[in-house]
Each structure stands twice: as C-alpha cells, then as structure tokens.
Amino acid sequence: MTHIVLAFEDNRLIGDLFGQFDQNLALIEQRLGVDAIARGNQVTLKGTQTACAQARTALEAMYQRLLQGHEIHPGDVDGALRMAAAAEAQLPLPTLEPKSRLAFAQIATRRKTIVARTPTQDAYIRSMDRADLIFGTGPAGTGKTFLAVAYAAALLERGDVARLVLSRPAVEAGERLGFLPGEMKDKVDPYLRPIYDALYEMMPAEKVDRGLQSGMIEVAPLAFMRGRTLSNAVVLLDEAQNTSSMQMKMFLTRLGEGSKMIVTGDPSQVDLPPGQLSGLREALGLLTGIQDVAHVRFTEKDVVRHELVGRIVTAYDNASREESEARERRYAERQRDADRGETTPRPRKREAAVS
C-alpha cells in the first residue's frame, strides 16, 4: 500500500477540485480503487502504487485547469483519469511534459474551451493542427464530429479561414424519409442537425445565423459540390462512411489553397445499398502514408457519452467479430474439404420408369 499526501495552495479552488460533496474524489476512488481522504486543502491517497500515481496525476492536471480559469465537470474528471492511465502506461503521447505533468490539447472558442478527454482525442486535435486532410473514424460518442466542428469554429473566429463549409451525404439510416418540403437548405438540415447543434454550442447563436445568411457558414450538400474549388476554408464531411467511391474522390479533390478538410465517419455503420463500396473505406486504404494526410482511429475506449454507450458499442463489436470469425471458419472448412476431395457429389436425377 502507498500513501500520498497532496496539498493545493489556492483554497478557493478546493471546492471545485474535490467536487460537491467530494463527488470528484468519489469518482476517482471508484475508478482506481483508492481511498481519497480530504482534509482542508489536502487529500491523502491510499492504495496501490500505480493507482495512487494515476490519482495524483489526474488531480494535479485538474488543479492546473482550475488555475487557468476553466471549470471541472464529471466528464473532465473521467478524461483526466484516462490521460493519467495512458501516461502511467508510458504510451507515446505528445501530451506528456517533464515532471509527468499532463498537458491536454485544447480548442478555444468564444463560448467555451474544449479539452481533450482521451489520448485519442488529444492526438486528433493535434493532427488537425498539423495536417491539411484529417480522417477521424470510430464508433458513436467518441467526439469525432464535435471536436471537428469546435476546431473549425475556432479557426473561423480567429480569422485563419474565411468560411466554414459543412457537408454530409443524404442517406437515411434504415428508413425512408420521403419528400422533404422547402428550399435546398431546408431539405438537408435534418441530415446536418448534429453539426448545427455543435456549432451553436461553440459560437453565439446570432453569429451562426449571420454566418449562414452571409455564406460565411455554408451548407453544401455532397451531391452538389462537383466542379467547385474550396479555398481558404475549413471543409467538414460528416458520416463519410455513406459516401460512394466516386463521391469521396470528388469531395477530396475540392480542396483548395489555404484550406483544411476534416472527414469523419464510422466504417461499422454503413447505410449504403448492399454490395456498394464505402468511399471512406476505400480512401483510408488508398491514402495511407501520404504526407499531410492524418488518420486518427477512435475505439470504444474513447466513448465520452454516457458510460453505457461504451458497453453498447463493445457488445455490437463483439457480436460482429464473432460473426466474422464464424464466416472465416466455415470458409476454411469448405476449403479443406475441397482440397481433400470430400465435396458432396450432386445427387443423380431419378430415371423415369420404362413402361
């Protein structure tokens, strides 16, 4: 057993650090199996050496956030614990600073500052800084689209780009919506609602509305982007797993000077007709290793929604993996039987009786 006593100088931040009724400490105890005993501006950690080290790293990272003027929510506590666990495992993360202090990648917008909550989110934000074409793939709830919209809004507010172009393939998820009334924007709005929700969370509503009216924020249906060159813009394609091969090639070749392109999607949730190749899957295979192209893969461990979402994703992934393994076993058995010459002979037709 290890005992660690931490003391925090600014008493005004202790309530936010420990949480209401010490709920943040309780979450740390639950996740790491340690005892966290608060007394004044000190907290005593008791448990295994590894668990205490992770708890210490997480608490110090949270305290630094508070010193910078940010708030701490339960999701931030969970994010600090994930990052601390990654640091303890000595993963090759760009977030590790000297003295084992964690520096979370951040996106600062006018309304809020978004901080990475998992190592993969951290790598995703840093990839958007480095590359011109970024692919973010993985299951629902990992923050792919949310972080992409936040990054795009930050660039737009800083004046690094002149406009934001939002696009998404109009493919229904398993049901027919039929005819949608209104102008083009009205018809595609239902498909882009998740992007709008994130955008309104990052920017003042009146600025978003003015941007939509002036064209600074543009809704561009994927089917009508052919022939354009998108320069000095952030171009975001969401639900890219539902693009065809031709659509993806057309979209990627719209990239102009001074622009960034962010493509997000979940290859396991393709809603295309059976037998049609997903443009996202093809692009990921073709563009591997090309300079200025980054691909960040999220997993169920990066889910930052309700804790149950991660378990749901894991259950579906396990079922899909078992089905794939069963198909491979059946195929291998048929191949072995064919090699041994043990294929079942086709039954002969019964000869008609001669009268």
Side-chain angles (χ1 to χ4, degrees):
M1 297 291 289
T2 300
H3 289 66
I4 298 178
V5 179
L6 301 177
F8 301 96
E9 295 180 0
D10 196 335
N11 290 323
R12 297 170 300 175
L13 303 179
I14 297 303
D16 293 329
L17 178 62
F18 295 168
Q20 188 176 17
F21 304 114
D22 293 343
Q23 64 178 2
N24 294 345
L25 295 181
L27 181 58
I28 292 174
E29 288 181 329
Q30 178 186 353
R31 293 294 175 83
L32 298 180
V34 300
D35 291 330
I37 305 167
R39 183 172 299 172
N41 67 333
Q42 294 185 342
V43 58
T44 302
L45 303 173
K46 298 180 181 179
T48 64
Q49 182 177 357
T50 299
C52 286
Q54 292 180 18
R56 176 178 187 168
T57 302
L59 283 168
E60 289 178 345
M62 291 159 53
Y63 182 67
Q64 291 299 318
R65 280 205 64 190
L66 291 171
L67 287 176
Q68 296 170 8
H70 304 308
E71 297 180 350
I72 295 291
H73 303 287
D76 299 313
V77 180
D78 180 66
L81 289 171
R82 295 188 194 210
M83 299 293 282
E88 186 66 24
Q90 296 181 343
L91 293 178
L93 296 177
T95 54
L96 299 186
E97 289 185 343
K99 301 180 182 179
S100 299
R101 176 170 294 177
L102 291 176
F104 301 87
Q106 300 181 0
I107 302 173
T109 65
R110 182 173 300 183
R111 295 195 63 179
K112 64 193 305 184
T113 297
I114 312 301
V115 182
R117 292 185 176 179
T118 71
T120 309
Q121 284 192 355
D122 184 274
Y124 187 45
I125 295 174
R126 296 175 189 273
S127 293
M128 289 189 283
D129 277 334
R130 293 192 298 264
D132 292 331
L133 172 58
I134 305 96
F135 290 94
T137 61
T142 53
K144 306 182 301 296
T145 302
F146 184 78
L147 291 175
V149 174
Y151 187 82
L155 291 185
L156 192 63
E157 287 186 332
R158 293 202 306 260
D160 293 345
V161 295
R163 55 181 171 155
L164 168 59
V165 181
L166 310 174
S167 188
R168 194 177 188 185
V171 177
E172 296 95 343
E175 52 184 304
R176 300 285 183 180
L177 298 181
F179 173 77
L180 296 177
E183 299 177 352
M184 181 61 66
K185 178 179 177 300
D186 300 320
K187 294 177 184 294
V188 299
D189 272 359
Y191 300 100
L192 293 166
R193 180 48 52 189
I195 298 179
Y196 281 135
D197 292 342
L199 201 56
Y200 279 108
E201 193 168 341
M202 301 303 145
M203 301 170 63
E206 61 274 9
K207 185 167 184 179
V208 176
D209 294 335
R210 285 199 307 269
L212 289 169
Q213 293 174 4
S214 66
M216 184 177 66
I217 301 174
E218 179 185 355
V219 177
L222 182 60
F224 295 92
M225 293 187 67
R226 186 178 297 278
R228 301 183 60 185
T229 300
L230 303 173
S231 302
N232 197 24
V234 180
V235 189
L236 172 59
L237 175 62
D238 191 32
E239 297 291 338
Q241 75 274 7
N242 290 328
T243 60
S244 66
S245 177
M246 185 179 299
Q247 284 177 325
M248 178 59 75
K249 178 183 177 182
M250 179 271 294
F251 176 81
L252 295 178
T253 53
R254 301 308 95 199
L255 186 64
E257 290 292 330
S259 291
K260 279 184 180 288
M261 189 171 279
I262 306 172
V263 180
T264 65
D266 181 1
S268 70
Q269 293 190 21
V270 177
D271 299 311
L272 293 172
Q276 186 170 350
L277 176 65
S278 168
L280 176 61
R281 290 179 177 173
E282 182 185 49
L284 293 176
L286 293 175
L287 303 180
T288 301
I290 295 181
Q291 187 177 359
D292 291 329
V293 177
H295 179 202
V296 179
R297 296 177 178 84
F298 293 85
T299 69
E300 65 275 5
K301 296 180 181 179
D302 298 301
V303 173
V304 292
R305 288 183 187 166
H306 194 287
E307 187 178 354
L308 181 59
V309 176
R311 295 199 290 267
I312 291 173
V313 171
T314 300
Y316 273 94
D317 286 348
N318 290 340
S320 177
R321 192 178 303 109
E322 291 173 359
E323 182 180 353
S324 176
E325 291 174 352
R327 284 199 303 267
E328 290 178 0
R329 285 196 299 270
R330 290 195 296 268
Y331 176 78
E333 290 173 359
R334 288 196 297 269
Q335 288 295 107
R336 285 198 300 269
D337 292 344
D339 292 341
R340 295 171 184 170
E342 296 179 0
T343 53
T344 304
R346 181 179 297 179
R348 294 180 178 178
K349 292 184 178 180
R350 207 170 185 182
E351 296 182 359
V354 181
S355 57

